Amino acid sequence: MMKRISLLGSTGSIGRQTLEVAAACGITVGAVTARRSVALLEEQVRAFRPELAVCVDPAAAADLKVRTADTGVRVAAGPEGLLEAASLPSADCVVTAVVGIAGLEPTLAAIRAGKRVALANKETMVCAGELVTGEADRLGVDIVPVDSEHSAIFQCLQGCRDRGEVRRLILTASGGPFFGCAREQLAAVGPEQALKHPNWSMGAKVTIDSATLMNKGLELIEAMRLFRMPPEKISIAVHRESIVHSLVEYSDGAVLAQLGAPDMRLPIQYALTWPERRPGPAKPLDLLSCPPLTFAPPDLETFPCLRLALEAAGRGGTATAVLNGANEVAVERFLKGEISFLDIPVLVERALERVPVMSDPGLEDILEADRAAREAAVGAPC
C-alpha cells in the first residue's frame, strides 16, 4: 500500500474523494494542486498539511501563499509547480486527477521520477497512450487505473496468466441522462439537463462526455493503451444500473465481472492500496437490494461522438489526440452556451477531417495535433 501521495487536481470531484480515502486509510498527502480554486485548496492545506501546494494560475498561487503563510506549507505556481508536485521525492504515488491533456506532461514526469501513477486522467492515455506506457515499461513503473471501468478490468485481469487467454474486454456505460432519446429530442438540450447524470457525481466535463457517450469512446481508447488490446477486442454495453463496472471474457467462454456500488471511492482506494485490500469509506454492495441488471447495445446514430471515437481508435496515431482536443473545446463551448448539444460531434468531426494524422508520434507531434484540433473546433459549426 502507498504511504504518501501527491495529488494533482485535489479540488475536483476525484481529488476530493481521494482525500477522503487517504484520511480513512491512513495515507499521508505530500502535495495538493489546483488550477485556481484557492478557497478549497486552503481548506485542504490546513486539513492535510502537505509539504507543497500548487496553483497553476499565478495570481491564485500568490493569494494562496498569503492565506496559508501561517502553515509552513510551501506554495508553487504555474505548470512548473505541477511538474514539481508530480515528481515530489517524498511521494510513493502520484494521483493524476487533473482534467484534459493538461495531465499528460505531469504524468510523464511522475513516471520518470519512478512513482506509481494512479491514473484518473483518461486524456493522457487517449492522446499519448503508447508514449506513456512505453516510458512506464522502460522504467518499471506501475500505472493503476482509477476510472471505475478500467479499475474493473484491471481487477478482473489479476488472475490472468497470459493476455492471449482474453477474448475481449467489455466496458459498461450508464448511457447518460439521455438514454433512449431520439436524436431530434436532443436539439434543445442545454447544459443544465446534460449535467444531470443518473448515477454518478462527477465534474462538468466528464458528465457532458457521458451525456454524448464520448466518455465511453475515450475509455475504449484508454483501455486499448492500458491493456494492450486492439479496438476490435473491446466491446461496449449500456448498463443503466452502474453496478457491473466492466467485464473480461476469456477464451474458454468464462466472463469475469467486477460489481460494486456506484462510488468512485472504491476504484480510487484500490489504485492506492493495490495489491492489498483493506476497509475503506465506501459502503459494500447489497445484492439483495440491487435493481435488475440490464444490458443494451449503444446507439451510435443518436450519439455520434461514440462513433467518431471508435473511428479515431481504428486510425490510431494522432487521430485520438485530435478527437480529444476538439472535444475539450466543444464541451467547453457547450457549457458556455455558445453551441448546441448536437453541435459537439459536428465540431469534433470537422477537426478529424481537417487535421492531418501522424503515425507513431512523439510528444511534440501529439501536442501540435491537440493545438490544431482546438483551433479547428473554434468558430461556427458547419
Side-chain angles (χ1 to χ4, degrees), residues 92-283:
D92 305 295
C93 174
V94 176
V95 182
T96 57
V98 294
V99 177
I101 198 172
L104 172 54
E105 292 186 82
T107 300
L108 285 171
I111 291 169
R112 288 164 181 163
K115 313 297 181 183
R116 174 192 288 184
V117 173
L119 186 66
N121 171 270
K122 63 176 63 67
E123 294 87 356
T124 288
M125 283 294 169
V126 169
C127 296
E130 289 93 348
L131 180 65
V132 171
T133 55
E135 281 291 275
D137 289 346
R138 182 177 69 85
L139 296 167
V141 169
D142 291 318
I143 300 176
V144 185
V146 168
D147 273 352
S148 61
E149 295 84 357
H150 302 90
S151 177
I153 291 171
F154 184 79
Q155 292 179 62
C156 290
L157 288 172
Q158 289 303 296
C160 179
R161 299 178 309 156
D162 182 347
R163 291 293 169 86
E165 297 176 344
V166 176
R167 180 176 291 166
R168 63 173 174 152
L169 310 179
I170 305 170
L171 292 167
T172 55
S174 70
F178 306 127
F179 176 75
C181 291
R183 186 164 174 76
E184 54 270 19
Q185 292 177 273
L186 303 180
V189 161
E192 184 177 355
Q193 296 159 285
L195 288 169
K196 291 180 179 177
H197 195 280
N199 299 331
W200 296 94
S201 175
M202 305 179 291
K205 196 268 182 181
V206 69
T207 305
I208 300 302
D209 283 347
S210 180
T212 65
L213 292 197
M214 177 63 87
N215 192 51
K216 207 50 51 180
L218 298 177
E219 288 177 358
L220 182 144
I221 297 166
E222 181 180 3
M224 285 171 49
R225 274 71 186 267
L226 272 174
F227 304 114
R228 278 76 162 181
M229 287 285 172
E232 60 269 20
K233 294 186 72 171
I234 307 175
S235 302
I236 295 170
V238 176
H239 170 57
R240 294 293 286 163
E241 298 77 29
S242 296
I243 298 296
V244 177
H245 296 299
S246 279
L247 313 92
V248 174
E249 180 181 337
Y250 286 91
S251 57
D252 60 359
V255 178
L256 300 188
Q258 189 264 327
L259 285 70
D263 186 336
M264 281 304 301
R265 293 175 299 180
L266 283 166
I268 291 168
Q269 179 172 320
Y270 190 69
L272 300 184
T273 64
W274 173 80
E276 301 173 21
R277 292 185 185 270
R278 64 187 320 178
K283 292 183 179 180

Side-chain angles (χ1 to χ4, degrees), residues 238-244 286-295:
V238 176
H239 170 57
R240 294 293 286 163
E241 298 77 29
S242 296
I243 298 296
V244 177
D286 180 1
L287 287 173
L288 298 182
S289 66
C290 281
L293 305 182
T294 62
F295 301 90

Side-chain angles (χ1 to χ4, degrees), residues 4 19 35-36 41 44 58 62 69 72-73 75 78-79 101 118 136 151 165 171 174 239 275 303 324 332:
R4 190 170 178 82
L19 291 174
R35 189 176 180 185
R36 60 169 67 93
L41 198 58
Q44 294 174 347
V73 173
V75 175
I101 198 172
S151 177
E165 297 176 344
L171 292 167
S174 70
H239 170 57
F303 301 97
N324 180 76
E332 184 178 1

Side-chain angles (χ1 to χ4, degrees), residues 2 23 44 46 56 72 88 100 155 163 166 220 238 261 302 316 338 348 377:
M2 297 295 100
Q44 294 174 347
R46 294 188 180 282
V56 177
L88 191 73
Q155 292 179 62
R163 291 293 169 86
V166 176
L220 182 144
V238 176
T302 303
E338 296 177 4
V348 173

